[in-house]
Amino acid sequence: MMLLARFGVAALALGTVLPALGAALAEPPRQDASAFKYAGMARCNTKDCHGSDVPKGSPALNEYNLWKGADPHSRAFTTLYKAPSKAIGQAMGIAKVHESAKCLSCHSRLVEPEKVMANVKWSLQNGVSCELCHGPSEKWIEPHALPKEKKWSHEKSMENGMIDLRDPARWASHCASCHLQIDHDLVAAGHPKLHFELVDYNARTGAHWKTEKHPSMAAGFDAKMWTTGQVVSLAEALRNLARHVKAGAKKELTDGAREQAAAYARVLQHAGEIPADAAKLEELAAVVEAKLKGLAPADESLLKTLAAGEAPRDFSAARQVALAFRALSTRAAAKADLDKLCEQILAKNEKAFDAAKFAAGFDAVRAHFK
């Protein structure tokens, strides 16, 4: 079974795992929110909108409280006040990381006053709040709450600045724009490496969107999101590696970025080498991303392919392989062994990662898929 059809780029061919992708399509257009203003989170979290104390239907209208209580995005800014963040800043010569544009680009967002609606105060303290994921809401905040009265549709909201997170490719790309982009100097200063798998991360955010009418509730959605997420993540990891190469990062940092890209390529059954040249890396990233539309979701036949291979020996590859099994497995009998395996690849366990121990756990898991 093949995931990515062989890419028609000289010296950049990828072997594949899923069939019937059809012709490569152009990169999906990115929505440009620059023409719209931010309305602020206060207009989202009222009791009559998304700030209900209890779920009320689909949407549940308690999304704000789920985000505030369970989603790490709500604490993204306050993390900058903690000792590890300050130590990174000190190593980089940044006296106040909570005021640094470099840090705030992902831990919150600096928004120019002219991009905020009148009489609205934009607060960095809100971290990664509603509009940073869903788009500036100046034009759609009111009509989307009264769709029948205003004759308003989801499509109209998207035309007016909303980011379409119902589209798996846009969803994954929006997340990866922070969760897989990091400058080499940040890593050198002690910033944790970025390890990202979309289905796993969504499961740890409180999933405030999960109500009966949301597309994520449809059968097979996790498999679709995993597949899309892996392709997007491979493209972003290749771009991240290209930035390391261009910047002349130290070998150990470039090797780490290459290891990360190779981890995504492994589960997508990449047949060739990751290029060393920055221009070719960027070219490959564009070709990978062009395969998103029409991409068929992976299934357990991919797990059988992975189970037949050798156990990964580095943390990045081990993490992506283990999470592939967790996302795609439908075998209840494998759950206990999978849970034990995935415990080894938690981000906090990276420094203590033991390849031999992982291989033993992997043997227990793959026995369920022979």
Side-chain angles (χ1 to χ4, degrees):
M1 187 180 186
M2 294 299 199
L3 269 181
L4 293 174
R6 183 167 294 276
F7 298 169
V9 178
L12 302 181
L14 292 184
T16 60
V17 198
L18 287 181
L21 287 183
L25 301 176
E27 177 183 351
R30 306 289 178 97
Q31 286 173 293
D32 182 10
S34 62
F36 305 99
K37 294 182 179 182
Y38 291 87
M41 190 172 67
R43 299 183 70 178
C44 303
N45 64 13
T46 63
K47 297 294 184 183
D48 293 330
C49 292
H50 295 287
S52 174
D53 293 328
V54 294
K56 292 183 176 181
S58 185
L61 303 182
N62 67 338
E63 290 83 5
Y64 168 76
N65 288 315
L66 288 175
W67 169 83
K68 190 69 174 177
D71 194 330
H73 290 106
S74 68
R75 302 182 292 278
F77 178 78
T78 57
T79 295
L80 298 178
Y81 283 98
K82 294 182 178 180
S85 297
K86 291 180 179 180
I88 294 169
Q90 185 176 15
M92 296 184 68
I94 300 174
K96 297 180 178 179
V97 291
H98 61 279
E99 295 179 357
S100 166
K102 191 178 189 72
C103 303
L104 290 171
S105 63
C106 282
H107 284 266
S108 186
R109 182 170 298 168
L110 287 167
V111 178
E112 297 299 324
E114 61 270 20
K115 290 297 183 181
V116 180
M117 291 180 66
N119 301 317
V120 170
K121 182 180 179 181
W122 181 259
S123 177
L124 293 173
Q125 285 81 359
N126 289 331
V128 181
S129 55
C130 312
E131 292 173 289
L132 298 193
C133 290
H134 294 282
S137 64
E138 170 198 12
K139 299 293 186 182
W140 56 263
I141 184 71
E142 292 184 4
H144 101 288
L146 299 166
K148 291 183 180 179
E149 293 87 336
K150 300 291 186 179
K151 296 182 179 179
W152 197 260
S153 65
H154 181 65
E155 288 69 29
K156 282 188 177 180
S157 291
M158 289 189 294
E159 291 168 3
N160 286 277
M162 180 183 278
I163 296 170
D164 184 15
L165 298 183
R166 295 182 184 182
D167 180 321
R170 291 195 187 281
W171 187 347
S173 296
H174 204 56
C175 296
S177 66
C178 268
H179 288 285
L180 276 174
Q181 291 188 19
I182 186 168
D183 293 337
H184 69 94
D185 55 348
L186 273 168
V187 180
H191 191 291
K193 293 179 183 177
L194 299 183
H195 296 289
F196 184 66
E197 193 281 295
L198 188 58
V199 175
D200 171 68
Y201 191 79
N202 284 344
R204 293 186 287 111
T205 61
H208 61 262
W209 56 86
K210 276 195 173 289
T211 54
E212 60 180 340
K213 294 181 182 179
H214 193 272
S216 63
M217 300 303 288
F221 187 82
D222 277 358
K224 186 175 183 178
M225 285 300 289
W226 179 88
T227 309
T228 301
Q230 289 296 304
V231 175
V232 168
S233 295
L234 173 56
E236 291 297 343
L238 289 167
R239 291 191 181 102
N240 194 50
L241 175 57
R243 286 192 295 273
H244 279 52
V245 172
K246 283 182 178 179
K250 293 181 179 179
K251 183 178 183 302
E252 60 265 31
L253 299 178
T254 302
D255 287 348
R258 184 177 301 279
E259 181 180 285
Q260 185 180 53
Y264 294 114
R266 178 180 181 137
V267 293
L268 294 172
Q269 301 295 282
H270 176 11
E273 294 294 325
I274 302 291
D277 178 76
K280 288 186 176 181
L281 284 165
E282 290 173 346
E283 184 182 0
L284 179 55
V287 174
V288 169
E289 201 166 42
K291 291 291 182 179
L292 283 169
K293 294 296 183 180
L295 186 67
D299 57 28
E300 283 197 352
S301 61
L302 171 60
L303 301 186
K304 290 182 179 180
T305 300
L306 294 174
E310 295 183 358
R313 298 199 58 80
D314 64 78
F315 181 83
S316 293
R319 181 174 171 81
Q320 294 307 320
V321 168
L323 292 177
F325 277 88
R326 170 169 279 178
L328 301 176
S329 173
T330 60
R331 305 189 184 195
K335 186 178 184 306
D337 288 325
L338 263 174
D339 288 345
K340 291 179 182 177
L341 188 69
C342 288
E343 180 69 25
Q344 296 186 50
I345 50 84
L346 293 175
K348 66 180 182 181
N349 294 332
E350 180 173 8
K351 290 184 179 180
F353 177 70
D354 184 328
K357 182 180 178 182
F358 182 86
F362 185 64
D363 285 342
V365 167
R366 66 171 152 195
H368 296 280
F369 296 89
K370 290 183 177 179

